[in-house]
Amino acid sequence: MPKDRSKEDFQFKILSIYTGAVLTNLIQIGYETGLFEEAAKGDFTVEELSTRLGLSKRYLQEWLNAMAAAEIFHYNSEAKTYSLPQNRASFLTGEKAKNLCPHSKMLNSFGKLLPKLIRCFKEGGGIPYSDFRPEFTDCMDDVWRRIFDELLNDGFIGAVEGLKNRLKKGINVLDIGCGTGHATNVLAKKYPNSLFKGYDIAKDAIEKAKIEAKEMNLSNSNFEVMDVSKLPSKPKFDLITAFDTIHDQAKPLDVLRNVKNALRNDGIFLMIEFKFSSDLKNNLNNPLSSLYYGISLMHCLPVSIAEGGPGLGAMWGIEKAKGMLLAAGFTNVKLLDSPRPQNCIFVCRK
Ligand SMILES: C[S@@+](CC[C@H](N)C(=O)[O-])C[C@H]1O[C@@H](n2cnc3c(N)ncnc32)[C@H](O)[C@@H]1O
């Protein structure tokens, strides 16, 4: 009789999951010490890399061994040299959106709040944004900055026919939940005839947005601390954007209604969300589903629930999102693919 391997396989699966958790920490170490950038330059021994970066040789050796065993680095056992192949380095180095290192910092920062999350399981309630900051502000900036630099204009704005032309001529634009405002500043630089505003509830993020606008010498970009569940219907905007923001809200329907009321009649609301289904069965074969259900659980749910919100979460899904946009009064809602496979773009008109 063939041996039943299912028990061993499952054991191995759990251990592999733990491997992923450990390597997430190790990737953060590599990111913060400049190891990946230096390693991408060519073959090296532990001694050489330790001297070049001024890092402890013993710690470095263990890190490299883990990286080689994980098949992230290549190990030449005869020469005793390590290397980071170029096709892998592009996912761990550089200023392109492809660099996944910032995600490791974000995930590890969520892990620090695990005791509070366990308390939420037992007692209900949430974890306020203030508990996630200041790390969250910087991690969010680090993850999205490269995406905005590389993909915002051509990928997200360019997906909507005619929008680049309207921006060139000059329109009023608002980004809600703008975080550190990089999206707003990038577009303000690109489209000097348009006027840009960014609102966020977080003082530290808005401070950083203002500093960047000043550093970039922008006179058409400004920022305010504002709770967008109280967004007034005036001034009116031609374009309102929300990047990865609506599902975290404490009052998502109020925010969407406010957005609709603050739009001009021919205005557009671009809502960038995660491209999953509201129905678990449709997400089961998607290799990214468990990652985003987990992120949603560790951050998106508790920040919304902490303020008495519904905790929609990052995985609220396309169907529910569309339903809420219609309930808020948008009559024309189109769904477009985004340049990132895990996101989608809702293009909404009154
Ligand atoms: C997941 S972050 C996205 C930040 C930014 N859009 C980006 O892509 O980097 C969500 C942002 O929404 C902001 N936010 C949450 N509730 C808000 C509210 N009621 N009014 C304004 N901003 C809010 C948070 O402070 C946070 O900066």
Side-chain angles (χ1 to χ4, degrees), residues 129 133 140 177 200-201 226-228 243-245 248-249:
Y129 259 115
R133 300 190 196 275
M140 202 65 208
D200 200 288
I201 205 163
M226 183 185 292
D227 175 353
V228 294
F243 290 90
D244 188 12
T245 287
D248 286 342
Q249 294 297 312

Side-chain angles (χ1 to χ4, degrees), residues 200-212:
D200 200 288
I201 205 163
K203 281 192 194 131
D204 65 336
I206 289 296
E207 232 9 81
K208 289 186 178 204
K210 284 181 177 170
I211 290 170
E212 186 183 70

Side-chain angles (χ1 to χ4, degrees), residues 106 110 129 133 136-137 139-145 147-148 175-183 199-206 224-231 241-251 255 272 274 299-300 303-304 307:
M106 172 85 89
F110 293 165
Y129 259 115
R133 300 190 196 275
F136 178 75
T137 305
C139 288
M140 202 65 208
D141 178 278
D142 206 14
V143 167
W144 277 87
R145 168 169 294 274
I147 300 166
F148 290 141
D175 187 27
I176 57 166
C178 67
T180 53
H182 193 57
Y199 292 153
D200 200 288
I201 205 163
K203 281 192 194 131
D204 65 336
I206 289 296
E224 274 175 47
V225 174
M226 183 185 292
D227 175 353
V228 294
S229 71
K230 297 181 185 134
L231 179 75
T241 54
F243 290 90
D244 188 12
T245 287
I246 298 301
H247 63 257
D248 286 342
Q249 294 297 312
K251 295 177 184 159
V255 172
I272 284 65
F274 286 95
H299 173 78
C300 310
V303 293
S304 168
E307 304 298 324

Side-chain angles (χ1 to χ4, degrees), residues 52-264:
R52 264 153 54 188
L53 285 169
L55 295 174
S56 153
K57 189 180 136 205
R58 182 67 194 102
Y59 283 104
L60 184 54
Q61 179 159 52
E62 212 74 348
W63 185 88
L64 284 167
N65 290 351
M67 285 291 149
E71 296 183 354
I72 295 173
F73 279 54
H74 175 72
Y75 179 58
N76 181 332
S77 55
E78 280 173 19
K80 298 206 185 317
T81 55
Y82 302 80
S83 59
L84 177 58
Q86 278 311 314
N87 58 345
R88 297 180 196 168
S90 62
F91 292 97
L92 296 164
T93 57
E95 296 307 314
K96 296 269 188 204
K98 232 174 141 183
N99 184 352
L100 293 173
C101 277
H103 291 74
S104 65
K105 267 180 94 168
M106 172 85 89
L107 294 172
N108 290 329
S109 76
F110 293 165
K112 288 184 202 158
L113 294 175
L114 217 53
K116 292 194 176 182
L117 187 60
I118 292 169
R119 202 188 61 215
C120 295
F121 270 76
K122 293 181 178 165
E123 297 170 14
I127 307 172
Y129 259 115
S130 52
D131 286 13
F132 284 91
R133 300 190 196 275
E135 284 100 329
F136 178 75
T137 305
D138 293 331
C139 288
M140 202 65 208
D141 178 278
D142 206 14
V143 167
W144 277 87
R145 168 169 294 274
R146 293 172 172 80
I147 300 166
F148 290 141
D149 281 336
E150 195 183 333
L151 305 172
L152 176 59
N153 186 47
D154 288 336
F156 289 98
I157 298 294
V160 184
E161 216 187 311
L163 191 51
K164 281 186 178 179
N165 276 338
R166 287 181 72 181
L167 282 158
K168 265 183 210 153
K169 282 185 192 150
I171 55 174
N172 286 304
V173 183
L174 169 66
D175 187 27
I176 57 166
C178 67
T180 53
H182 193 57
T184 304
N185 288 333
V186 165
L187 290 180
K189 179 153 190 224
K190 179 95 191 151
Y191 298 106
N193 293 334
S194 286
L195 289 176
F196 294 84
K197 262 188 190 302
Y199 292 153
D200 200 288
I201 205 163
K203 281 192 194 131
D204 65 336
I206 289 296
E207 232 9 81
K208 289 186 178 204
K210 284 181 177 170
I211 290 170
E212 186 183 70
K214 207 169 171 189
E215 282 168 0
M216 290 170 73
N217 281 323
L218 297 169
S219 56
N220 60 337
S221 150
N222 68 72
F223 298 93
E224 274 175 47
V225 174
M226 183 185 292
D227 175 353
V228 294
S229 71
K230 297 181 185 134
L231 179 75
S233 59
K234 282 183 185 158
K236 298 278 187 216
F237 295 92
D238 303 284
L239 171 66
I240 300 182
T241 54
F243 290 90
D244 188 12
T245 287
I246 298 301
H247 63 257
D248 286 342
Q249 294 297 312
K251 295 177 184 159
L253 187 57
D254 289 2
V255 172
L256 293 178
R257 280 199 189 112
N258 295 345
V259 165
K260 193 211 76 181
N261 292 336
L263 275 180
R264 292 221 164 89

